[in-house]
Amino acid sequence: MNNYCIVERDSHEFHAGSKARNDVGQILTDQGWTALPVHRSRGKGIPDKLKMAAVTWMDWRKVCRTVGQGDTLLVQYPLDMYPKVSRVAIPFLRKMREKGVQLIFLIHDLDSLRGIENNGERQFLETADVLIAHNQVMAEYLCERGYGDKAIRTLGLFDYLSEEACPACNTGDPREVVVAGNLRPDKAGYVYRLGQLDSKVRFRLYGLNYQEGAPQAGVKYCGQYPPEQLPQVLRGGFGLVWDGDEIQSCSGVYGSYLRYNNPHKTSLYLACGLPVIVWDQSAIAEYVVEHHLGLAVRSLEELPRRLQRMDRAEYAALCQGAAEMGERLRRGDMLRRALRGHLPPKDEVSE
C-alpha cells in the first residue's frame, strides 16, 4: 500500500494561493508520499482550454494507471485549473475509487459557499472517502450538503512552511497593524476606508492590486511581494484578517466567506510571530481566542480603544501564543495531525 499526492506545477503569482498548495506537497513528500505531477491551466482562449483538456486527460490517465488497490491518493480541491477542464479528472477519480483506492480531498475553497453551483464540486467531492475541511463550521456545512457519509477531518489552520526561525516581524507595538493579501477594491474595499479610524492605529498594507488614491492618515502602502518573501518584509504588532467593503463588519461575498474558511493570511501572520485580529463572526474567531492567538472584534472601529487599553502582559501573552503556533505552522504540524493514520507513528504530532 502506497501513499500518493497530486502536485500541480508551480505558480509564481504574487498571492498566497500557490504557497498553500506547494506547502501541502512539500509536507507530504517529506513524509514519504510519492508526488504525481499534473499540469496547471494557463492561457485564456478556447484553443488553450482545448489543449489543456487533452493534457489533463493524459495526466489523469497516468495517475489512474499508477495508483492501485489499497493505495491512498490525496487531491487538493479545487484543482488549480479551469473548472470545466478540471472535470476531465472526475471519471478517473471514480475509476480509482472503484478499484479500491482511498481518496482524500484537502479542501482549499468551496464555490458553493459563494453561491456558485454546477461547477463540478459535487461530482468531485462525491468521489472522496475522506474530506479535510478548514474547521468545524465547514465540516458541518459539508454534512448539510450531503457528505456526512464521508470521514471528515479538520485542519485547524493552514501550515506555512519555513526553515528559518521566527522572523523579526513583530515590532512590539500593538497599534501597528499589518494587512497582507489581495487589495483589490471589490475584495478588500475596507482598506480604502481605514483612514476613517483614529490615526493612533497605524496600518501597513502589503499586496497586489492596491489602487493608490488620496493619502489616508495612518495608512501606508508597502508594496507587493511573493508569499515566500513576506516574512522578511512584514513589520507590525498585529496581523489583520478582514474582507469586504466595510470597516464596521465583514460584508459582501468575500466577507461572508469568512464565516466558513480559514484564510491563509492568518497562517502567514502567525508564522511571522504576529498575533492576529479577526472578525468575531468568522469561523476562525473561536480558534484564535481559545488558543490565545489574538483578538476577535465585531468592527474595526473597536481597534483604537481595544489596542489603547491593552496592557503589556496581555499583549505579551498573545505574542507568545502566536510564536508557539507559528513554530508548528512552519514545521507543517497541522496537516500531519489531520493525516494521522496515514503517516508513520513516529511522525504523529501532539494537539
Side-chain angles (χ1 to χ4, degrees):
M1 295 186 291
N2 301 303
N3 292 333
Y4 296 93
C5 58
I6 298 297
V7 176
E8 291 150 328
R9 301 296 185 186
D10 195 14
S11 164
H12 300 287
E13 298 165 352
F14 288 121
H15 61 76
S18 60
K19 170 66 174 169
R21 290 176 178 271
N22 293 344
D23 281 354
V24 169
Q26 186 66 54
I27 292 165
L28 293 176
T29 54
D30 285 349
Q31 298 297 322
W33 291 54
T34 300
L36 298 178
V38 299
H39 290 81
R40 297 175 65 246
S41 293
R42 292 189 180 275
K44 297 181 180 180
I46 292 178
D48 288 325
K49 293 180 181 180
L50 292 175
K51 178 182 178 181
M52 283 309 305
V55 170
T56 300
W57 187 88
M58 290 186 289
D59 283 343
W60 282 90
R61 182 180 65 168
K62 183 176 181 180
V63 169
C64 190
R65 289 177 172 179
T66 301
V67 182
Q69 182 178 5
D71 292 340
T72 296
L73 176 68
L74 184 140
V75 179
Q76 300 189 60
Y77 181 82
L79 302 182
D80 195 9
M81 59 181 63
Y82 305 114
K84 288 185 179 179
V85 172
S86 72
R87 297 183 198 181
V88 171
I90 294 173
F92 294 104
L93 289 165
R94 289 172 176 163
K95 185 175 181 179
M96 284 186 280
R97 192 181 189 199
E98 288 171 0
K99 69 178 182 179
V101 176
Q102 183 181 50
L103 297 177
I104 301 176
F105 276 53
L106 189 156
I107 296 172
H108 286 279
D109 286 300
L110 291 173
D111 278 343
S112 60
L113 287 171
R114 300 187 179 98
I116 302 172
E117 301 287 354
N118 301 319
N119 64 343
E121 179 178 294
R122 181 164 295 280
Q123 293 94 320
F124 269 104
L125 299 187
E126 282 178 343
T127 67
D129 298 290
V130 180
L131 297 174
I132 301 179
H134 293 195
N135 49 58
Q136 189 58 36
V137 176
M138 185 179 284
E140 292 171 2
Y141 171 80
L142 289 168
C143 288
E144 292 170 1
R145 293 278 292 183
Y147 304 112
D149 60 324
K150 316 292 184 187
I152 301 179
R153 305 179 185 181
T154 57
L155 194 58
L157 289 168
F158 280 96
D159 294 298
Y160 203 98
L161 295 187
S162 175
E163 295 180 359
E164 299 180 5
C166 184
C169 297
N170 196 321
T171 62
D173 187 345
R175 293 169 297 178
E176 293 181 336
V177 179
V178 170
V179 178
N182 192 333
L183 304 177
R184 197 175 67 230
D186 65 327
K187 182 180 189 298
Y190 77 92
V191 302
Y192 304 94
R193 295 175 172 81
L194 292 173
Q196 300 172 17
L197 301 176
D198 190 326
S199 59
K200 291 179 181 177
V201 179
R202 300 178 297 280
F203 295 90
R204 298 171 63 86
L205 313 181
Y206 300 80
L208 73 168
N209 296 321
Y210 182 62
Q211 305 295 314
E212 294 197 62
Q216 299 186 84
V219 180
K220 180 181 180 181
Y221 178 60
C222 302
Q224 65 180 47
Y225 301 87
E228 294 80 7
Q229 292 182 14
L230 279 171
Q232 282 73 55
V233 298
L234 293 187
R235 296 293 181 271
F238 270 104
L240 178 62
V241 183
W242 206 263
D243 258 326
D245 293 330
E246 303 175 6
I247 58 175
Q248 292 83 8
S249 180
C250 288
S251 60
V253 173
Y254 292 104
S256 296
Y257 194 50
L258 291 177
R259 297 181 182 273
Y260 297 92
N261 79 321
N262 289 357
H264 193 245
K265 70 178 68 178
T266 311
S267 300
L268 162 66
Y269 297 141
L270 294 171
C272 291
L274 298 178
V276 295
I277 298 167
V278 302
W279 183 36
D280 67 358
Q281 301 300 302
S282 65
I284 207 168
E286 183 177 355
Y287 191 94
V288 165
V289 173
E290 179 183 348
H291 290 83
H292 308 290
L293 305 177
L295 306 176
V297 299
R298 183 167 296 271
S299 166
L300 294 182
E301 293 175 330
E302 298 176 26
L303 286 186
R305 176 180 55 83
R306 290 284 298 271
L307 299 182
Q308 189 71 23
R309 294 182 178 181
M310 180 172 290
D311 60 35
R312 292 184 179 179
E314 180 183 1
Y315 181 61
L318 296 179
C319 290
Q320 180 65 26
E324 292 175 357
M325 180 59 71
E327 183 178 357
R328 296 181 62 189
L329 301 182
R330 294 194 302 274
R331 290 196 306 249
D333 281 2
M334 306 307 283
L335 180 57
R336 292 194 292 131
R337 178 187 59 80
L339 286 173
R340 277 187 176 144
H342 298 278
L343 297 173
K346 66 182 179 63
D347 291 315
E348 292 187 359
V349 294
S350 60
E351 295 289 345

